[in-house]
Coordinates of all heavy atoms in Angstrom, one line a residue:
A124 N -8.4 1.2 4.7 CA -7.0 0.9 4.8 C -6.2 1.7 3.8 O -6.8 2.2 2.8 CB -6.8 -0.6 4.5
F125 N -4.9 1.9 4.0 CA -4.2 2.8 3.1 C -4.2 2.4 1.7 O -3.9 3.1 0.8 CB -2.8 3.0 3.6 CG -1.8 1.9 3.3 CD1 -1.1 2.0 2.1 CD2 -1.7 0.8 4.1 CE1 -0.2 0.9 1.7 CE2 -0.9 -0.3 3.7 CZ -0.1 -0.2 2.5
K126 N -4.4 1.1 1.5 CA -4.4 0.5 0.1 C -5.4 1.1 -0.8 O -5.3 1.0 -2.0 CB -4.5 -1.0 0.1 CG -3.3 -1.7 0.8 CD -3.4 -3.2 0.7 CE -2.1 -3.9 1.2 NZ -2.0 -3.9 2.7
D157 N -7.0 -7.3 3.3 CA -7.2 -5.9 2.9 C -7.1 -5.6 1.4 O -7.8 -4.8 0.9 CB -6.2 -5.0 3.6 CG -6.7 -4.6 5.0 OD1 -7.9 -4.8 5.2 OD2 -5.8 -4.2 5.8
T158 N -6.2 -6.3 0.7 CA -6.0 -6.0 -0.7 C -7.2 -6.2 -1.5 O -7.6 -5.3 -2.3 CB -4.9 -6.9 -1.3 OG1 -3.7 -6.7 -0.6 CG2 -4.6 -6.6 -2.8
S234 N 1.0 -4.7 -5.1 CA 1.8 -3.5 -4.9 C 3.1 -3.4 -5.8 O 3.8 -2.4 -5.8 CB 2.2 -3.3 -3.5 OG 3.2 -4.3 -3.1
R239 N 0.1 1.3 -8.5 CA -0.4 1.2 -7.1 C 0.7 1.7 -6.2 O 0.4 2.2 -5.1 CB -0.6 -0.3 -6.8 CG -2.1 -0.6 -6.5 CD -2.4 -1.9 -5.8 NE -2.1 -1.8 -4.4 CZ -2.2 -2.8 -3.6 NH1 -2.5 -4.0 -4.1 NH2 -1.9 -2.7 -2.3
Q243 N 1.4 6.2 -3.5 CA 1.5 6.2 -2.1 C 2.5 7.2 -1.5 O 2.6 7.4 -0.3 CB 1.9 4.8 -1.6 CG 0.8 3.8 -2.0 CD 1.1 2.3 -1.7 OE1 0.2 1.5 -1.5 NE2 2.4 2.0 -1.7
V265 N 7.0 3.3 9.4 CA 6.0 2.7 8.5 C 5.9 1.2 8.8 O 6.8 0.4 8.7 CB 6.5 2.9 7.0 CG1 5.4 2.3 6.1 CG2 6.8 4.3 6.7
P266 N 4.7 0.8 9.3 CA 4.4 -0.6 9.5 C 4.5 -1.4 8.1 O 3.8 -1.1 7.2 CB 3.0 -0.7 10.0 CG 2.5 0.7 10.2 CD 3.5 1.6 9.5
S267 N 5.5 -2.3 8.0 CA 5.8 -2.8 6.7 C 5.7 -4.3 6.5 O 6.0 -5.0 7.4 CB 7.3 -2.4 6.3 OG 7.4 -1.0 6.2
G268 N 5.2 -4.7 5.3 CA 5.1 -6.1 5.0 C 5.8 -6.3 3.7 O 6.9 -6.9 3.6
N269 N 5.2 -5.9 2.6 CA 5.8 -6.0 1.3 C 6.7 -4.8 0.9 O 7.3 -4.7 -0.1 CB 4.7 -6.1 0.2 CG 4.8 -7.4 -0.6 OD1 5.9 -8.0 -0.6 ND2 3.8 -7.9 -1.2
F270 N 6.8 -3.8 1.8 CA 7.6 -2.6 1.7 C 7.3 -1.7 0.6 O 8.1 -0.9 0.1 CB 9.1 -3.1 1.7 CG 9.7 -3.4 3.0 CD1 9.2 -4.5 3.8 CD2 10.6 -2.6 3.6 CE1 9.7 -4.8 5.0 CE2 11.1 -2.8 4.9 CZ 10.7 -3.9 5.6
G271 N 6.1 -1.8 0.1 CA 5.6 -0.9 -1.0 C 5.4 0.5 -0.5 O 5.8 1.5 -1.0
N272 N 4.8 0.6 0.7 CA 4.4 1.9 1.3 C 5.7 2.7 1.7 O 5.8 3.8 1.3 CB 3.5 1.6 2.5 CG 2.6 2.7 2.9 OD1 2.5 3.7 2.2 ND2 2.0 2.6 4.0
I273 N 6.6 2.1 2.4 CA 7.8 2.8 2.8 C 8.6 3.2 1.6 O 9.2 4.2 1.6 CB 8.6 1.9 3.9 CG1 9.7 2.8 4.6 CG2 9.2 0.7 3.2 CD1 10.3 2.1 5.8
A320 N -1.4 -8.3 7.9 CA -1.1 -7.7 6.6 C 0.4 -7.5 6.4 O 0.8 -7.1 5.3 CB -1.9 -6.3 6.4
M321 N 1.1 -7.7 7.4 CA 2.6 -7.6 7.3 C 3.3 -9.0 7.5 O 4.5 -9.0 7.7 CB 3.1 -6.7 8.4 CG 2.3 -5.4 8.5 SD 3.1 -4.0 9.3 CE 3.4 -4.7 11.0
V323 N 4.8 -11.2 5.8 CA 5.5 -11.4 4.5 C 6.9 -11.8 4.8 O 7.7 -11.1 5.5 CB 5.5 -10.1 3.7 CG1 6.2 -10.3 2.3 CG2 4.1 -9.6 3.4
N328 N 9.1 -5.4 -2.6 CA 9.5 -4.1 -3.0 C 10.9 -3.7 -2.4 O 11.4 -2.6 -2.7 CB 8.5 -3.0 -2.5 CG 7.3 -3.0 -3.4 OD1 7.4 -2.5 -4.5 ND2 6.2 -3.5 -3.0
D373 N -5.0 0.2 15.6 CA -5.1 -1.2 15.1 C -3.7 -1.8 15.3 O -2.7 -1.1 15.6 CB -5.5 -1.2 13.6 CG -4.3 -1.3 12.7 OD1 -3.5 -0.3 12.7 OD2 -4.1 -2.3 12.0
H375 N -1.4 -2.9 13.3 CA -0.4 -2.5 12.4 C 0.1 -1.1 12.8 O 1.3 -0.8 12.9 CB -0.9 -2.4 11.0 CG -1.4 -3.7 10.5 ND1 -2.7 -4.1 10.8 CD2 -0.9 -4.7 9.7 CE1 -2.9 -5.3 10.3 NE2 -1.8 -5.7 9.6
T400 N -2.2 2.5 9.4 CA -2.5 2.0 8.0 C -3.9 1.4 7.9 O -4.4 1.2 6.7 CB -1.5 0.9 7.6 OG1 -1.3 0.0 8.7 CG2 -0.2 1.6 7.2
A401 N -4.6 1.1 9.0 CA -6.0 0.6 8.9 C -6.8 1.1 10.1 O -6.2 1.4 11.1 CB -6.0 -0.9 8.8
F406 N -9.9 -4.8 12.7 CA -9.3 -5.9 13.5 C -10.0 -6.0 14.9 O -9.4 -5.9 15.9 CB -7.8 -5.7 13.6 CG -7.2 -5.7 12.2 CD1 -7.0 -4.5 11.6 CD2 -6.8 -6.8 11.6 CE1 -6.5 -4.4 10.3 CE2 -6.2 -6.8 10.3 CZ -6.1 -5.6 9.7
Ligands
PLP526 C1 -0.8 -3.9 3.3 C2 -0.7 -3.4 4.7 C3 0.5 -3.1 5.4 C4 1.9 -3.3 4.7 O1 2.1 -2.5 3.7 P1 3.3 -2.8 2.6 O2 3.2 -1.7 1.6 O3 3.0 -4.2 2.1 O4 4.6 -2.8 3.4 C5 0.4 -2.5 6.6 N1 -0.7 -2.3 7.3 C6 -1.9 -2.6 6.7 C7 -3.2 -2.4 7.5 C8 -2.0 -3.2 5.4 O5 -3.1 -3.5 4.8

Side-chain angles (χ1 to χ4, degrees):
F125 81 91
K126 291 185 174 76
D157 275 345
T158 300
S234 70
R239 248 196 77 185
Q243 298 179 153
V265 185
S267 294
N269 238 336
F270 280 67
N272 206 7
I273 194 168
M321 313 198 298
V323 179
N328 282 288
D373 95 295
H375 304 79
T400 45
F406 302 90

